[in-house]
Amino acid sequence: MTNGVGESDGDDCLTGCEVEREPDPSDSLRTFGAVVQALREHAGYSRAEFGELVRFSKHTVESVELGRRMPDESFVERAEEATGNMGALRKAARYLTRGEAGLAVWFRRWAKLEKVAVSLCTYECRLVPGLLQSEGYMRALCENDVPPLSDDALEATVQARLERQRLLAERPNTAFDFIVEEAVFIRRLGGLDVTRDLVDHVLGVVAPRNVTLQIMPANAEYHACMAGPIQLLETADGSWRGYSEGQENGRLIADPKQVSRLHMRYARLRSQALSPKDSVGLLERIRGAL
């Protein structure tokens, strides 16, 4: 997680607003910063001179070049223009991720897109999706991680996941759709008390009308997503992105053909899963049996 608040630099904060917090360095931030520095030096500017051109302080230019700060969009645009308008910085900025603790490096770009999505679709067969997890379930997941997490890393992970869950309360106009395997809810990870609390938590989370849960029954004879989990989101401009995750890696999918295939699988799976009403009924029966 980040510490402190960045300074007000030039016109990026004329109204006294809080500017971007400086993240822990990530590989993408370091790489982007190195490109900025190389282009700046090639153009013959000192950091102070470059700061005047992009209307940010010398300190901000240094922080960006060292990978300590997520560049503002206006910084990227002005730096692009000041270094020849070749498009390199605009393109590189699309792949920037924060170095925040608690979220896997490969997941951070997706988490950033979630904050502006108008629709989110999730299918999970391994565990309860992060947005639906109870705190006890989060801790059970962390405690089962191999190699073991340090106490600080465990707490950072839990807090990052709780922070991410604020999406559900803060975006009531966003459609959240979940399809989850029945087996995930009957696994009893963390013990009976954790599982009871988890099911109660999920039943509460899916109560609002913008949140839909469908359960894929364990005895289903047809299944469109045997290839694994699926995440899809729609942005305000109507574009769609997909996300695929495995062990120690994750991939943001923007290619329209690949996203279309994921859409087809998810749509078919929705028709194969239990209805939202029947899914809640199944969860209630699972809870009663615990």
Side-chain angles (χ1 to χ4, degrees):
M1 304 294 287
T2 56
N3 297 310
V5 177
E7 300 178 359
S8 175
D9 298 305
D11 67 354
D12 55 329
C13 200
L14 290 174
T15 60
C17 61
E18 179 179 289
V19 300
E20 288 281 3
R21 296 181 177 185
E22 293 196 358
D24 297 328
S26 66
D27 289 343
S28 65
L29 284 171
R30 292 189 185 97
T31 301
F32 180 84
V35 173
V36 172
Q37 182 174 355
L39 292 175
R40 171 183 62 78
E41 292 176 348
H42 180 74
Y45 299 121
S46 67
R47 281 177 174 159
E49 292 169 336
F50 193 70
E52 291 181 5
L53 287 173
V54 298
R55 298 199 291 258
F56 282 81
S57 70
K58 174 185 175 182
H59 166 75
T60 297
V61 174
E62 179 181 17
S63 292
V64 171
E65 290 185 350
L66 295 178
R68 295 197 303 249
R69 175 167 177 152
M70 179 72 72
D72 186 90
E73 288 184 12
S74 60
F75 181 98
V76 175
E77 285 300 314
R78 294 168 192 162
E80 183 69 70
E81 294 171 2
T83 55
N85 217 17
M86 297 178 290
L89 296 181
R90 290 192 190 96
K91 291 179 180 177
R94 299 174 189 171
Y95 302 98
L96 289 174
T97 60
R98 294 180 179 278
E100 294 172 299
L103 293 178
V105 172
W106 55 84
F107 185 76
R108 291 171 190 152
R109 286 186 62 220
W110 180 259
K112 184 177 180 180
L113 287 173
E114 284 183 328
K115 296 178 181 179
V116 296
V118 298
S119 177
L120 280 162
C121 301
T122 302
Y123 161 63
E124 257 298 351
C125 56
R126 308 164 302 173
L127 70 169
V128 174
L131 290 175
L132 301 182
Q133 293 173 6
S134 64
E135 183 174 344
Y137 185 82
M138 294 177 191
R139 293 185 179 279
L141 285 172
C142 291
E143 289 167 1
N144 278 274
D145 204 4
V146 179
L149 297 173
S150 67
D151 290 344
D152 288 343
L154 189 152
E155 288 301 323
T157 299
V158 170
Q159 292 307 312
R161 293 184 181 185
L162 290 172
E163 176 70 18
R164 178 172 168 247
Q165 287 186 343
R166 292 175 56 187
L167 283 172
L168 292 167
E170 295 176 350
R171 299 191 65 81
N173 296 320
T174 296
F176 295 92
D177 292 298
F178 300 92
I179 304 175
V180 185
E181 295 287 336
E182 178 184 356
V184 167
F185 291 107
I186 61 177
R187 182 170 290 143
R188 299 187 180 184
L189 184 73
L192 281 175
D193 288 342
V194 169
T195 306
R196 291 188 188 106
D197 181 62
L198 168 69
V199 176
D200 289 340
H201 177 80
V202 172
L203 286 170
V205 170
V206 303
R209 61 179 178 271
N210 67 314
V211 184
T212 300
L213 170 67
Q214 291 181 258
I215 294 180
M216 193 65 184
N219 61 357
E221 296 182 6
Y222 300 95
H223 201 301
C225 291
M226 296 301 292
I230 287 178
Q231 293 197 61
L232 295 161
L233 64 75
E234 181 185 12
T235 58
D237 63 1
S239 62
W240 285 83
R241 297 288 186 274
Y243 178 75
S244 175
E245 183 174 278
Q247 295 202 18
E248 304 298 328
N249 67 81
R251 182 168 65 99
L252 182 63
I253 303 169
D255 178 73
K257 291 183 179 179
Q258 294 184 42
V259 174
S260 177
R261 285 197 292 271
L262 295 181
H263 254 299
M264 292 172 63
R265 294 170 187 169
Y266 190 85
R268 179 65 61 84
L269 191 68
R270 290 185 74 173
S271 71
Q272 297 167 339
L274 297 177
S275 70
K277 181 179 179 180
D278 289 342
S279 295
V280 168
L282 176 56
L283 264 189
E284 290 172 341
R285 292 194 297 275
I286 290 173
R287 176 64 177 87
L290 292 172

